[in-house]
Amino acid sequence: MKFEVFLMLLLVVSVLTSLFVEGIKKLLDERGKTYYSNMLAGITSIVLSVFVGFAYVILVQVALNIQMAVYLIALILLSWLCSMVGYDKVLQAITQIRGGEKIE
């Protein structure tokens, strides 16, 4: 796997994680369930990273070797970190820039 492909997969997983987490959070809020946002983001990013990584391996028919294993582990860890600084942090920054007005 080339480094550019790895970065593209990381981008895809990060975007999908943010979308899935927001959808899950809205579903949990509607049902009145409590949750930890960072754990939810972490678990979602791990599941999506594993899915996207193995989908890449299957579609491109790449042999699973040590280099691919390192890329997949890095994809999992980096997507988890990216998801921790996701949608909520972006909204918080925009709110602070706008002068404290709450964004809905």
Side-chain angles (χ1 to χ4, degrees), residues 17 21 37-47 76 80 83-84:
T17 298
V21 167
S37 295
N38 285 338
M39 285 303 291
L40 183 64
I43 292 168
T44 305
S45 69
I46 289 171
V47 170
I76 291 169
W80 190 346
S83 69
M84 298 292 184

Side-chain angles (χ1 to χ4, degrees), residues 14-15 17-19 21-22 25 37-38 81-104:
S14 298
V15 169
T17 298
S18 295
L19 294 173
V21 167
E22 285 307 309
K25 283 169 62 175
S37 295
N38 285 338
L81 289 174
C82 289
S83 69
M84 298 292 184
V85 190
Y87 183 76
D88 295 337
K89 301 298 181 197
V90 172
L91 279 182
Q92 182 182 20
I94 292 171
T95 301
Q96 290 173 352
I97 289 170
R98 291 180 69 192
E101 297 174 21
K102 181 98 171 141
I103 298 175
E104 294 295 330

